[in-house]
Amino acid sequence: MKRNTIDKQILSIALTLVALLTVPILINPAKGTAFLNKVLNSITLNFGPLYLWACLAIFGFLLWLAFSKYGKVKLGNSKPEFSTFSWLALIFTAGIGSGIMYWGIIEWAYYYSSPPYGMEPLSVEAASFAPTYGMFHWGFSAWAIYCVPSIPIAYAVYIKKYPSFRLSTACRGIIGDRADGLLGKIIDVCFMFGLIGGIGTSLALGTPLLAEGIHHTFGVEKTLTLNLGIVVSLMIFFSICLYFGLKKGLKLLSDWNLYLYVAIAVFIFIFGPTAFIIASFTDSVGVLFQNFFRMSLYTDPVGKSGFSEAWTLFYWGWWFSYAPFTGMFAARISKGRTIKGLILGQLIGGTLGCWLAFAIFGNTSMFYEMAGIVPVLDILQNEGAPAAILASLQALPLGGIILILYLLVAAIFLATTVNSAAYTLSDVASKNLQIGEEPARWYRVFWGVLLTSISIVLMYGDGLEALQTLSIITALPLVFIMFLMIASFVKWITKEYESIMVQQENDASGDLPTRETEVVSQKQQKIEAPAILSKTRLEN
Ligand code: NM2
């Protein structure tokens, strides 16, 4: 390397935070994990309602924004780079990983056996909320969390013309030039910290699922060694990808993975319990709309069931942790779209994608339990969620094959998510990169290894559960940063709206690039189109 591109300040703050998380567990696994749990409990206790309000407020803000006059503002003077369909597919795959393959099938079972609102477990009432709650946790208000950072980031890049997709840049409206100083670095580190937590959660859920699959197929015993083996294999896989920058190959893999996932869903829809899937989904939509506010703000202060801490807060934390990462990616691929288009596309497209998964996979598993075909609840209680997931799949026609394909899709989802996160992290922790330049190879691999090592340490410390909920902790600073970004964006747009509209009208009346240049530039864009796996390459 000729030039040193490592941002030592960001790197050292990030490493310190990572050390704070992992060293106590390395030294004393039992005490370290207990400490992590303590932090977690105190966050859910003290900030729980904040998470709930934040999610609802963000959702309300986005709805208002989309339908206000500001919704018409176009982010960048060009035609959208991708067709709306591929744009939606990109947004979906960027934000959703192996998590949906885990919870999509089995989340209902938890709500059915431990329902909210003091309902009788295993009652008909509980059964109506069981498939609904998953749709809530993966629905429009959750997608609002994902969507919100994309707006200020896209505005900063395409309208303010700042050459950086960083979170700190999107806060400039309020923090001004401090974005270049320590404050900006802290904001970017919070982003990294969040992403590390979000990935930790994904790995902590995905690994046991894969382990169960290996146990089921090859009879290998489910031990810590197997879990570690899986994480290390994933690490080797994406270290090779990161080192050689195999973005094109990975994009292809990721595209085919999505097709395969959709094919499995279609297969199950047709050959599974179709009528039950449709009826239950329909019922759930009704239950969800009827109870949306109750679900959004449920804290159970007197009953103290801990339902919302265990579920809604866990989920909002997980969404918040990933949000800046997916927001940067959405901003990157949304040039030329209006604010309204960006918001509605993400809220509606993302939600429908998740709902389809929950409707098809979850209701199939639920049907098997209700019809006495698979004792899902028993398996869940005695052998754990991964075994219950696999048993549901196994019961399908061609179950053996579906199960293997399903696990393959989950493994690829997990690997591609970690891979793109490592790219992004190495990017944010670099400086002086020229436009289009990538962080050094070793540095990309370093971040990939670091990401997985954290999970390894926590697993070693018997902290799989702590790891699963790590994102609740790492989301906290991001909740505040989101509001900073919103404030910054509102300040910009209210001041600049008139001039943007004048500019937009001028552009529409003839200043747009001619057809010829447009065709050429669209071709170029196609070639340079960000590979899905480089999701958030930053040009800073
Ligand atoms: N979210 C969407 O593993 C994953 O699916 C990552 C999970 C935040 C619940 C995203």
Side-chain angles (χ1 to χ4, degrees):
M1 287 292 311
K2 318 122 263 168
R3 240 165 352 98
N4 187 3
T5 54
I6 310 299
D7 189 328
K8 294 210 184 76
Q9 217 174 358
I10 287 205
L11 180 64
S12 46
I13 310 178
L15 286 183
T16 312
L17 282 172
V18 169
L20 277 178
L21 273 179
T22 47
V23 171
I25 291 182
L26 268 181
I27 297 173
N28 185 334
K31 274 202 181 142
T33 316
F35 170 73
L36 212 58
N37 278 325
K38 229 180 169 170
V39 176
L40 187 73
N41 287 338
S42 101
I43 289 185
T44 47
L45 191 72
N46 296 310
F47 296 97
L50 172 76
Y51 280 38
L52 299 183
W53 280 113
C55 176
L56 194 62
I58 283 172
F59 178 51
F61 168 72
L62 288 181
L63 281 187
W64 166 78
L65 183 64
F67 294 103
S68 72
K69 61 179 182 183
Y70 303 121
K72 289 193 223 82
V73 168
K74 211 167 146 195
L75 298 160
N77 170 26
S78 65
K79 285 227 171 106
E81 195 176 334
F82 299 95
S83 72
T84 301
F85 184 77
S86 14
W87 177 71
L88 286 174
L90 281 170
I91 295 222
F92 186 75
T93 38
I96 299 299
S98 54
I100 201 164
M101 312 202 56
Y102 186 101
W103 293 116
I105 294 197
I106 205 63
E107 199 164 327
W108 69 270
Y110 288 88
Y111 305 138
Y112 185 45
S113 49
S114 314
Y117 314 128
M119 282 181 219
E120 190 69 32
L122 312 185
S123 60
V124 174
E125 218 188 356
S128 73
F129 273 85
T132 308
Y133 243 103
M135 284 166 53
F136 169 64
H137 288 142
W138 295 75
F140 30 81
S141 49
W143 274 93
I145 299 178
Y146 261 13
C147 174
V148 82
S150 67
I151 312 275
I153 296 175
Y155 192 96
V157 175
Y158 302 127
I159 296 198
K160 305 293 290 180
K161 309 265 188 255
Y162 291 123
S164 152
F165 283 84
R166 287 176 185 226
L167 224 52
S168 51
T169 307
C171 297
R172 263 179 193 277
I174 300 288
I175 64 173
D177 286 344
R178 278 174 291 169
D180 299 322
L182 187 63
L183 186 59
K185 304 240 155 148
I186 292 176
I187 290 176
D188 291 329
V189 167
C190 287
F191 154 72
M192 299 169 78
F193 192 50
L195 185 51
I196 290 171
I199 293 281
T201 301
S202 294
L203 273 172
L205 291 165
T207 311
L209 181 63
L210 296 178
E212 188 71 42
I214 292 175
H215 166 70
H216 183 93
T217 323
F218 303 107
V220 181
E221 269 206 54
K222 284 182 285 175
T223 52
L224 176 66
T225 323
L226 179 59
N227 278 348
L228 295 182
I230 291 171
V231 178
V232 171
S233 312
L234 285 171
M235 180 159 95
I236 294 173
F237 170 78
F238 53 71
S239 290
I240 296 173
C241 299
L242 286 164
Y243 187 81
F244 293 105
L246 303 175
K247 278 198 252 160
K248 275 210 186 103
L250 274 170
K251 171 164 165 34
L252 217 65
L253 186 65
S254 163
D255 285 353
W256 279 99
N257 204 39
L258 183 66
Y259 300 147
L260 189 55
Y261 185 51
V262 173
I264 298 175
V266 171
F267 177 86
I268 298 182
F269 181 66
I270 297 174
F271 297 103
T274 314
F276 183 78
I277 292 175
I278 297 173
S280 175
F281 172 72
T282 308
D283 189 64
S284 296
V285 174
V287 176
L288 178 59
F289 277 98
Q290 178 77 18
N291 295 282
F292 176 70
F293 287 102
R294 177 94 204 261
M295 293 168 125
S296 296
L297 298 173
Y298 181 51
T299 59
D300 202 8
V302 177
K304 291 201 170 50
S305 58
F307 183 91
S308 127
E309 286 82 353
W311 290 106
T312 311
L313 298 186
F314 156 67
Y315 265 119
W316 287 181
W318 200 11
W319 285 91
F320 270 115
S321 288
Y322 265 102
F325 169 62
T326 46
M328 277 181 196
F329 177 65
R332 180 171 287 279
I333 60 168
S334 301
K335 187 173 182 194
R337 292 191 181 267
T338 60
I339 289 184
K340 184 176 180 179
L342 192 51
I343 295 176
L344 296 185
Q346 290 186 72
L347 293 194
I348 298 174
T351 302
L352 287 184
C354 288
W355 280 12
L356 276 182
F358 271 77
I360 295 176
F361 296 109
N363 283 318
T364 300
S365 170
M366 187 165 165
F367 175 81
Y368 286 157
E369 164 73 31
M370 302 296 173
I373 299 172
V374 181
V376 181
L377 294 182
D378 281 349
I379 303 178
L380 176 64
Q381 186 151 35
N382 300 321
E383 296 171 53
I389 294 172
L390 295 198
S392 303
L393 290 168
Q394 181 83 53
L396 285 159
L398 299 181
I401 300 174
I402 297 285
L403 190 143
I404 306 260
L405 292 180
Y406 197 82
L407 291 170
L408 188 71
V409 174
I412 296 176
F413 259 146
L414 198 58
T416 49
T417 309
V418 180
N419 189 73
S420 40
Y423 246 107
T424 310
L425 289 171
S426 60
D427 207 320
V428 179
S430 296
K431 60 179 179 187
N432 305 327
L433 288 180
Q434 307 299 311
I435 290 192
E437 191 186 3
E438 309 226 308
R441 284 168 189 260
W442 72 266
Y443 200 44
R444 301 193 303 240
V445 175
F446 165 80
W447 275 102
V449 172
L450 187 72
L451 264 181
T452 28
S453 310
I454 298 166
S455 321
I456 293 176
V457 168
L458 291 181
M459 279 184 201
Y460 158 81
D462 205 15
L464 198 65
E465 262 177 45
L467 185 60
Q468 286 174 355
T469 42
L470 184 63
S471 38
I472 302 185
I473 303 178
T474 55
L476 186 61
L478 289 172
V479 177
F480 296 100
I481 293 174
M482 295 268 195
F483 283 103
L484 197 58
M485 291 168 82
I486 292 179
S488 162
F489 164 76
V490 170
K491 191 168 160 196
W492 278 333
I493 201 163
T494 44
K495 213 158 82 199
E496 294 158 7
Y497 173 73
E498 306 295 337
S499 61
I500 296 172
M501 289 321 273
V502 171
Q503 175 75 32
Q504 225 165 275
E505 256 155 47
N506 285 346
D507 292 342
S509 61
D511 283 355
L512 264 183
T514 62
R515 273 203 74 73
E516 263 176 19
T517 50
E518 206 169 283
V519 170
V520 172
S521 76
Q522 285 223 342
K523 268 194 192 146
Q524 277 170 352
Q525 282 175 342
K526 282 244 161 57
I527 298 164
E528 290 161 9
I532 174 160
L533 296 154
S534 65
K535 288 169 188 167
T536 37
R537 279 274 314 115
L538 307 172
E539 288 148 10
N540 194 8

